[in-house]
Amino acid sequence: MQVYIAGQFRPLREGRPYLFLRPEITVAQAAQPLMPHATAAWLVENTSLSFSQIAEFCGLHILEVQAIADDTAATKLTGRDPIRAGELTHEEIEKGQADPDYVLQMFKAPDPVRRTKGPRYTPVSKRQDKPDGIAWIIRNHPEVSDGQISKLIGTTRTTIAAIRDRSHWNIANITPKDPVTLGLTTQRELDAAVAKAAKAKGVEAPVDTRFEGDREALIVELRREREQHARDAEAALASAGEEAVADEVFPGIRDPFKNTPAD
């Protein structure tokens, strides 16, 4: 049998399945197991499926399956159970063993239940600092809602409400401290939460202008230092050019280990 490929007729090679010639095989059915060689080794050892069925299911050449069965493969393979992996079922294998022309269908196992996104994780060493950070936000930014504080600090609204109405069991030992300094959140996240809360209440978000003067002074100082370094370098070059060096081994070649000015 020949097929028309790339502008010419070519013989159809036996072994590897040509899915485009099998219209009954859909894209979903053409999915391959996660570890095809290990899966093929398990099917050869534990089932009576034909080599062509195993090759078609695993996406391998029939000679590769033959090598695995004859234990002549390049590497020793440890079988991987496709049933436990959720890729095949016992019923599907039985259908294939009963009919050599049957095409095994890939079985998709149900997705595992994933943990829903919960509050921010806080290291154990910093969890005792959470009440202090909550108290600082409540005192300095009362416009921030309990939900925003909960996301920032990674705590519950019950704890926030207890600190807000001073009914917390350890309220006597709670000292308001900046949560950024405590490492419970970042300055960017805190500023974003404050700006969002201020916008929701129709007030202008506070802008920290404490370091504006220091920033300008730092820029002026750095510019002055750079100019002074440039002047010092020019002066050093000028003084070195004026000095006559008398340590020439040959005309134009100096002794690199000496730098004695001429008398």
Side-chain angles (χ1 to χ4, degrees):
M1 179 180 177
Q2 292 185 339
V3 292
Y4 188 77
I5 302 176
Q8 57 182 329
F9 286 96
R10 297 183 181 180
L12 178 61
R13 184 178 57 178
E14 294 292 336
R16 185 174 295 277
Y18 287 84
L19 299 179
F20 61 87
L21 299 177
R22 302 285 297 277
E24 68 275 11
I25 301 178
T26 61
V27 175
Q29 295 168 352
Q32 297 178 3
L34 180 62
M35 301 175 65
H37 290 84
T39 303
W42 189 93
L43 292 173
V44 167
E45 184 178 353
N46 296 277
T47 69
S48 60
L49 295 169
S50 65
F51 291 166
S52 60
Q53 287 175 307
I54 297 175
E56 194 162 5
F57 176 74
C58 297
L60 304 175
H61 194 281
I62 192 171
L63 294 180
E64 294 180 273
V65 181
Q66 180 70 46
I68 293 173
D70 296 340
D71 201 16
T72 59
T75 57
K76 183 63 177 178
L77 297 172
T78 302
R80 177 176 180 269
D81 187 354
I83 299 176
R84 295 185 60 182
E87 298 168 347
L88 268 181
T89 61
H90 285 289
E91 294 76 9
E92 195 68 18
I93 293 177
E94 291 175 358
K95 291 178 182 179
Q97 294 176 147
D99 183 5
D101 296 329
Y102 181 76
V103 179
L104 296 176
Q105 307 288 331
M106 174 73 72
F107 177 77
K108 292 296 183 182
D111 295 333
V113 178
R114 298 182 179 179
R115 181 180 178 272
T116 57
K117 186 177 180 181
R120 176 196 299 265
Y121 173 77
T122 305
V124 178
S125 60
K126 295 182 180 180
R127 291 180 183 175
Q128 70 273 10
D129 298 329
K130 285 185 177 183
D132 296 342
I134 296 170
W136 187 91
I137 296 176
I138 292 175
R139 186 186 68 178
N140 294 277
H141 302 287
E143 70 277 6
V144 179
S145 64
D146 292 355
Q148 291 177 305
I149 298 176
S150 177
K151 291 180 179 180
L152 281 174
I153 306 298
T155 185
T156 62
R157 300 194 182 197
T158 304
T159 303
I160 299 172
I163 296 174
R164 190 183 294 275
D165 57 20
R166 303 190 62 80
S167 61
H168 192 272
W169 65 273
N170 196 31
I171 192 65
N173 298 320
I174 294 178
T175 304
K177 295 180 182 178
D178 189 348
V180 176
T181 305
L182 295 175
L184 299 174
T185 186
T186 63
Q187 188 65 50
R188 184 186 300 273
E189 293 174 340
L190 179 61
D191 294 342
V194 172
K196 183 177 180 180
K199 182 179 179 180
K201 294 198 173 184
V203 297
E204 185 177 356
V207 179
D208 190 357
T209 59
R210 293 175 298 173
F211 302 104
E212 287 186 356
D214 295 341
R215 180 175 179 273
E216 295 176 357
L218 178 61
I219 293 174
V220 172
E221 181 65 23
L222 291 175
R223 185 180 294 112
R224 185 183 302 112
E225 290 182 359
R226 185 171 64 249
E227 294 173 352
Q228 183 63 38
H229 289 327
R231 288 194 295 267
D232 294 343
E234 292 176 357
L237 289 174
S239 61
E242 294 174 356
E243 292 181 353
V245 180
D247 295 325
E248 293 184 352
V249 181
F250 296 101
I253 300 177
R254 292 177 44 212
D255 186 348
F257 299 100
K258 296 181 180 180
N259 188 14
T260 306
D263 295 335

